[in-house]
Amino acid sequence: MDRFADRRFGGFASELAQDGLEWDAFHYRNELLFSPVFQRVSPPLIRWIADSRGRVLSREIASELFARHFYSDMTGNSWRAMLDRRDCKALADAAKQSSRPGPIPVRMRTVSGETRSGIVRMTLVMEPDEAPLWYGTLEDIDERHDRDRRALADALAESRQHYRWSVELNPQVPWTAAPNGAIEEIGPRWQDLTGMAPVQAQGVGWIDALHPDDVERTMAIWSKRLRSGDPVDVDYRLRLADGSYRWMRSRASARRDAKGRIVRWYGTLEDIHAQKLAQRELADSEERFRLAVQSARLGIWDFDAVAGTRTWSREFRSMLGLSDTEPATSELALRLVHPEDRSRLAAMLDAVASDRMPPHFEATLRVYRADTGALRWIKSVGWSSFSDSGRPLRVIVTFQDVTEERSSEERIRWAATHDPMTRMPNRALWQATLDDMTEQARRTGESFGLILVDIDDLKRTNDMLGHDAGDALLCGFAQRFASCAPADAMVGRLGGDEFGMIAPSLASCAALAEWSAELLGGVRAPYVHNGRSLDYGISMGGAVFGEHGNDAAELLKAADLALYASKSSGRGRLTLFQSQLRAEAQQRSSMIHMARQAIADDLVVPYYQPKSDMKTGRILGYEALLRWQHPRTGVHAPDSIAAAFDNAEIAVELTEKMLAKVVRDVDRWLRAGYDPGRVAINASAADFMQHDFAGYVLDHLARCAIPPQRFEVEVTETVFLGRGAEQVERALHRLSAAGVRIALDDFGTGYASLSHLKQYPVDVLKIDRSFINNIEQDAGDAVIVDAIVKLGSSLGMEVVAEGVETPGQVDLLIARGCTIGQGYLMGRPRPWAAVRSQAA
Ligand code: C2E
Ligand code: CA
Ligand code: CA
């Protein structure tokens, strides 16, 4: 304690004593205040006392800091060395101006030469009778600053970090704007994005960075919100530093003061480019989907199984003729669907309701339009999607009005499988059904019957009454045929005049026979067309599955053979297949085989049978008849190869062979001075089918210089009935015009009408042998012969009796005016050489 202190406290000690306190004890405690312990907790402080001239009389350093950094000698004026000169002056000035000046900042030089900041606080104490003394402190404030600065720096760093994390790394760009909308601040990302300094964006500068196409719209929204104060939410494209554009979303709200006035706008700018593109892509794909649906005229029913919502698209509603407001319910759908299709729809709806829908389904249902009531065919195609666990997620069903397609498709399908004239199934469909039935019968072991029907006289009707009548006859028959058929039968027109029926209920010969009688009865009832009664006959061939054939082809063949047999054995009846028919067919094919052989080996030889005047016995001519001479088995008659005359290809070749040989023989006769009269050859229907039969014959004759007048062609009436009758007519006229005579062979047995005699250039009628045979016994035959003779002579035709074998027949014929005969009586067919010798 220095003496000034003692003095100061002397009075105080007496005061304490007055209060009953001991100064010594107090003094001791007071001493403790100066203990070094306090130095450790004290702020860096020097207490000092100076006289009025600034000389430090005493000083107390209350901190380790000063002890470390400053010279401890400060007494007298030496403290001045520690401070800056200007600070010393400032202290002096302050002391002059006030006895208690405010804190005076100073700079202090430390031992190490650095400068630290300090603060001087002081007060002048004036004791009576004492010189005034300055009491003061010098405090080092740098330490506190250091601490605060560190804290500040830390806080700043933390705040920067925070800013960086919360602002810089945030995709959003924060901004604020004045109440009038002028941008005041904008986050640093703005510059990162646009390359435009934030200051440039201030005010309305940011608009420069907008896509030109978005400026107007953005500004319109922004200025409207500025007026209303409502939150802003606007999308626009922002130009980036590299010149590309990115979609941004700008949102802002206004902060208001207590009076509700807008103080400031706070906003963010958010990069929504990826989102926008995804949205756009979605919108695009939705648009594409919508257009596809629209252009395909598809209606859509969409069931979201998760949300349980069902949606009917506009197209679907308009397809059904429903207004947009009509509630779309399953009941409504069921009501619109055709009663027969209702159960199918109900099943589909049930499946959806109970999560049992298949992944894919298709169904075409008939629906009555709600507005017009028109019946439409609606095709539905459904797709379901399922979660991984198999739970249904969604069912989409598309609908298409396929009425037009369906009807045209049906028309096409119908046309492909039906005969347009009779409207009956055609051969293709009939055959397919036969195949199916065969297959089924083979599986079940059940049988069925098959009948083929051929209209006998269709050609005649066509010829006589025209094709309309022929068509009417076909349609009339088809109708009778179909109405007569059992309910389980499949009938069809197999081509031309051939029809077929397959019937499980006619699975025996007896049943087929019974049914055919019924059909024949129906056919016999007159059929009237255009006021004319059309009369026709039918031939039928029948076969039973299992009994006559075990597959479709075999069965059809059996029925075909039976039909063939019916036609060649008098017609107008049913022939049921018998194995003998197969033998006959085999025989026919072996005939064809032999004919081929005869042609190939040049075995064909004409035999000549004379035609004579029965009154005088004079030979008027010959008919050339085909023989073929087998090297081992000898000479064969044409009946051994009769089937070959029906075969288009072989018949022609046979005729060619005959013609060549007959022409050669006639030529040889003529050269030998023998006049054979007229020589006839037989021509079959097939001959007329070849390109130019007349030309072919005439060329042959011309080549050997045989006058056509020496030649005759015999045809049966069947050549008028087959296909290509016009060609037959042309050929006959050409031959006739050239002088070749035309003879109608087997007259009276055919089916041709008398009109043929007018239509074709017939010169000769050859009365069939069957009439001559019994002419002596059968008065009826005599009458027919009589009629033919009269007919021939009245038409100016020559009449020849065939197969004259007895003198009695000759007498009778002559009596009836038929003087020309051909028969064994007058001469058998003989080879060329024999004729020569006989004639000679
Ligand atoms: P067709 O044209 O009616 O020929 C007459 C047939 O009657 C001949 O039989 C002849 O031999 C036979 N005939 C003649 N007079 C008598 C008689 O008094 N009594 C009997 N019972 N028969 C008699 P052929 O030669 O066997 O010929 C049979 C049929 O073969 C012919 O009948 C004809 O339709 C056909 N044919 C013969 N040769 C040819 C030919 O070169 N071409 C064509 N396409 N058919 C031919
Ligand atoms: Ca003949
Ligand atoms: Ca004949």
Side-chain angles (χ1 to χ4, degrees):
M1 269 310 235
D2 56 42
R3 56 191 176 106
F4 299 103
D6 287 344
R7 247 190 310 190
R8 274 193 66 208
F9 289 110
F12 186 56
S14 53
E15 267 177 51
L16 288 172
Q18 282 168 10
D19 290 339
L21 291 169
E22 262 184 72
W23 165 251
D24 276 348
F26 184 83
H27 187 250
Y28 171 69
R29 300 244 162 80
N30 203 28
E31 286 288 304
L32 286 181
L33 288 173
F34 297 96
S35 90
V37 177
F38 280 103
Q39 290 203 6
R40 289 206 290 276
V41 296
S42 165
L45 192 73
I46 300 174
R47 284 190 284 268
W48 54 266
I49 299 167
D51 66 10
S52 58
R53 289 168 64 195
R55 286 174 303 189
V56 170
L57 307 175
S58 177
R59 55 108 186 83
E60 177 59 49
I61 297 174
S63 112
E64 285 179 352
L65 181 87
F66 276 96
R68 260 200 331 271
H69 289 310
F70 298 96
Y71 298 103
S72 53
D73 184 20
M74 309 177 47
T75 51
N77 282 318
S78 59
W79 61 270
R80 295 180 190 271
M82 186 179 160
L83 298 183
D84 193 272
R85 211 155 37 87
R86 277 169 301 178
D87 291 343
C88 293
K89 186 168 178 295
L91 282 175
D93 288 350
K96 256 182 232 148
Q97 280 163 20
S98 167
S99 60
R100 201 182 167 86
I104 303 142
V106 294
R107 259 152 304 171
M108 309 178 294
R109 266 191 297 276
T110 65
V111 178
S112 60
E114 67 171 311
T115 306
R116 291 180 73 87
S117 305
I119 284 208
V120 175
R121 293 184 181 86
M122 56 190 192
T123 182
L124 187 64
V125 177
M126 312 259 265
E127 295 282 333
D129 308 328
E130 295 248 3
L133 286 176
W134 286 97
Y135 283 72
T137 59
L138 170 62
E139 188 187 351
D140 181 313
I141 57 163
D142 264 2
E143 202 209 19
R144 195 167 72 206
H145 281 178
D146 279 354
R147 216 173 39 234
D148 291 352
R149 211 169 36 228
R150 265 197 308 279
L152 262 175
D154 287 352
L156 191 66
E158 163 61 18
S159 135
R160 281 203 181 120
Q161 284 294 85
H162 176 74
Y163 184 76
R164 192 173 134 65
W165 284 99
S166 63
V167 176
E168 288 188 5
L169 296 181
N170 187 335
Q172 296 186 341
V173 183
W175 54 268
T176 64
N180 68 359
I183 300 295
E184 290 179 337
E185 287 174 310
I186 193 151
R189 243 180 85 75
W190 169 266
Q191 185 158 12
D192 297 348
L193 282 169
T194 61
M196 186 192 253
V199 272
Q200 278 178 280
Q202 282 170 3
V204 291
W206 59 282
I207 296 167
D208 286 347
L210 257 58
H211 192 289
D213 292 352
D214 297 340
V215 171
E216 200 178 314
R217 179 176 50 88
T218 307
M219 293 319 290
I221 295 175
W222 186 214
S223 48
K224 207 163 129 191
R225 296 294 183 273
L226 283 176
R227 280 196 301 278
S228 69
D230 290 335
V232 178
D233 191 345
V234 57
D235 296 349
Y236 52 72
R237 280 160 291 178
L238 195 67
R239 190 179 53 249
L240 301 193
D242 65 2
S244 66
Y245 283 93
R246 246 179 127 72
W247 276 102
M248 307 296 280
R249 178 181 185 181
S250 184
R251 278 183 288 186
S253 325
R255 180 163 71 86
R256 293 168 192 270
D257 64 14
K259 289 188 179 143
R261 282 182 306 229
I262 294 174
V263 177
R264 203 177 253 267
W265 287 89
Y266 290 83
T268 57
L269 200 58
E270 186 185 351
D271 185 332
I272 54 160
H273 197 67
Q275 190 185 331
K276 196 85 176 178
L277 289 191
Q279 252 172 23
R280 168 82 57 80
E281 212 165 292
L282 185 68
D284 274 1
S285 91
E286 270 174 5
E287 173 73 359
R288 268 202 304 278
F289 175 68
R290 202 179 55 74
L291 285 175
V293 161
Q294 219 171 42
S295 60
R297 286 182 296 127
L298 283 178
I300 305 245
W301 183 84
D302 182 357
F303 172 53
D304 184 337
V306 179
T309 52
R310 286 147 214 249
T311 337
W312 299 36
S313 78
R314 271 234 313 277
E315 286 84 1
F316 186 31
R317 287 170 164 281
S318 68
M319 193 179 286
L320 297 178
L322 291 171
S323 68
D324 283 354
T325 51
E326 189 120 16
T329 61
S330 303
E331 293 68 43
L332 174 67
L334 279 168
R335 194 152 46 80
L336 293 178
V337 162
H338 190 282
E340 284 171 23
D341 292 346
R342 232 166 249 169
S343 57
R344 286 171 68 206
L345 178 63
M348 283 159 73
L349 289 169
D350 257 13
V352 169
S354 56
D355 290 356
R356 281 184 295 103
M357 53 277 212
H360 174 68
F361 57 89
E362 284 191 31
T364 304
L365 303 176
R366 285 161 293 174
V367 172
Y368 291 105
R369 278 185 69 103
D371 50 357
T372 59
L375 184 68
R376 309 295 295 176
W377 286 91
I378 307 275
K379 180 184 180 185
S380 60
V381 179
W383 296 94
S384 316
S385 66
F386 300 88
S387 70
D388 290 342
S389 62
R391 240 167 36 78
L393 297 176
R394 174 164 235 120
V395 184
I396 292 251
V397 187
T398 60
F399 296 91
Q400 201 177 2
D401 188 323
V402 293
T403 314
E404 270 76 42
E405 288 87 334
R406 197 180 165 96
S407 35
S408 65
E409 198 178 291
E410 248 170 20
R411 269 201 302 278
I412 291 166
R413 196 184 312 139
W414 190 90
T417 53
H418 286 78
D419 164 43
M421 192 172 73
T422 59
R423 310 192 66 75
M424 261 194 180
N426 64 10
R427 179 179 276 275
L429 176 57
W430 189 84
Q431 176 76 51
T433 312
L434 172 63
D435 291 342
D436 288 351
M437 261 191 183
T438 312
E439 199 50 51
Q440 191 185 328
R442 208 178 291 156
R443 268 202 318 274
T444 60
E446 278 164 16
S447 186
F448 62 89
L450 187 154
I451 278 191
L452 295 180
V453 186
D454 197 285
I455 300 181
D456 290 337
D457 304 314
L458 182 64
K459 172 68 189 149
R460 197 191 51 181
T461 307
N462 276 336
D463 286 353
M464 283 170 45
L465 304 172
H467 284 266
D468 283 356
D471 290 353
L473 190 150
L474 274 171
C475 291
F477 169 72
Q479 223 163 16
R480 281 179 180 170
F481 184 46
S483 64
C484 206
D488 64 351
M490 168 73 174
V491 292
R493 181 180 179 204
L494 310 187
D497 51 4
E498 194 179 324
F499 292 79
M501 181 185 74
I502 323 159
S505 57
L506 304 177
S508 70
C509 290
L512 284 177
E514 198 181 317
W515 183 81
S516 71
E518 202 180 311
L519 179 65
L520 278 171
V523 165
R524 266 183 217 117
Y527 176 68
V528 179
H529 168 70
N530 279 351
R532 286 183 85 146
S533 174
L534 300 180
D535 198 16
Y536 62 95
I538 54 170
S539 300
M540 289 175 280
V544 176
F545 178 83
E547 205 171 314
H548 303 140
N550 284 316
D551 63 45
E554 205 184 342
L555 191 68
L556 197 56
K557 178 83 188 157
D560 208 33
L561 290 173
L563 174 63
Y564 183 90
S566 273
K567 283 203 283 193
S568 52
S569 68
R571 308 190 172 209
R573 47 181 287 220
L574 166 76
T575 303
L576 287 163
F577 177 78
Q578 307 151 38
S579 49
Q580 176 211 333
L581 293 176
R582 200 166 278 143
E584 284 170 15
Q586 272 158 8
Q587 198 186 352
R588 280 198 295 279
S589 74
S590 93
M591 281 179 181
I592 286 168
H593 176 75
M594 281 193 288
R596 280 213 170 96
Q597 210 59 49
I599 293 163
D601 298 348
D602 197 18
L603 307 177
V604 173
V605 188
Y607 272 42
Y608 297 93
Q609 185 178 31
K611 280 188 244 179
S612 316
D613 183 332
M614 290 185 285
K615 285 187 195 157
T616 63
R618 191 170 68 98
I619 293 174
L620 303 170
Y622 293 90
E623 176 180 5
L625 293 160
L626 181 142
R627 299 291 182 267
W628 63 279
Q629 186 138 26
H630 193 269
R632 274 197 323 279
T633 54
V635 176
H636 295 265
D639 60 354
S640 62
I641 54 165
F645 297 121
D646 298 331
N647 180 296
E649 175 203 340
I650 301 170
V652 168
E653 289 185 48
L654 288 173
T655 303
E656 283 175 6
K657 286 270 175 209
M658 286 292 287
L659 184 63
K661 297 198 170 179
V662 169
V663 166
R664 184 202 60 193
D665 289 348
V666 172
D667 184 47
R668 282 195 287 182
W669 277 322
L670 292 173
R671 282 174 196 275
Y674 171 64
D675 180 359
R678 281 185 189 270
V679 178
I681 66 159
N682 293 276
S684 63
D687 289 318
F688 292 93
M689 291 298 115
Q690 62 172 312
H691 175 57
D692 179 16
F693 179 63
Y696 179 77
V697 171
L698 295 173
D699 278 358
H700 256 280
L701 298 176
R703 221 169 294 149
C704 296
I706 295 168
Q709 287 74 14
R710 295 197 162 275
F711 212 72
E712 194 169 289
V713 171
E714 293 189 11
V715 294
T716 60
E717 288 169 300
T718 50
V719 301
F720 304 144
L721 299 175
R723 282 175 297 122
E726 300 80 22
Q727 210 167 319
V728 174
E729 188 177 347
R730 261 203 313 278
L732 292 180
H733 276 291
R734 175 137 183 238
L735 289 169
S736 180
V740 176
R741 280 214 309 193
I742 310 297
L744 206 48
D745 207 352
D746 304 345
F747 193 73
T749 58
Y751 326 97
S753 72
L754 296 180
S755 70
H756 288 148
L757 299 180
K758 227 170 61 189
Q759 186 181 352
Y760 299 99
V762 178
D763 305 293
V764 183
L765 293 181
K766 295 184 80 177
I767 306 171
D768 191 70
R769 201 168 65 222
S770 56
F771 299 110
I772 310 301
N773 251 344
N774 295 326
I775 194 169
E776 293 166 286
Q777 295 82 24
D778 192 326
D781 284 353
V783 170
I784 289 172
V785 169
D786 203 32
I788 295 175
V789 171
K790 288 206 172 84
L791 177 73
S793 61
S794 62
L795 288 170
M797 293 169 185
E798 187 176 275
V799 178
V800 178
E802 282 192 302
V804 181
E805 291 179 354
T806 64
Q809 290 165 348
V810 171
D811 293 344
L812 258 168
L813 285 165
I814 292 174
R816 295 190 184 274
C818 176
T819 55
I820 306 168
Q822 179 187 347
Y824 292 168
L825 185 68
M826 281 74 82
R828 290 188 173 252
R830 288 167 204 271
W832 171 79
V835 170
R836 188 60 234 277
S837 60
Q838 187 189 38

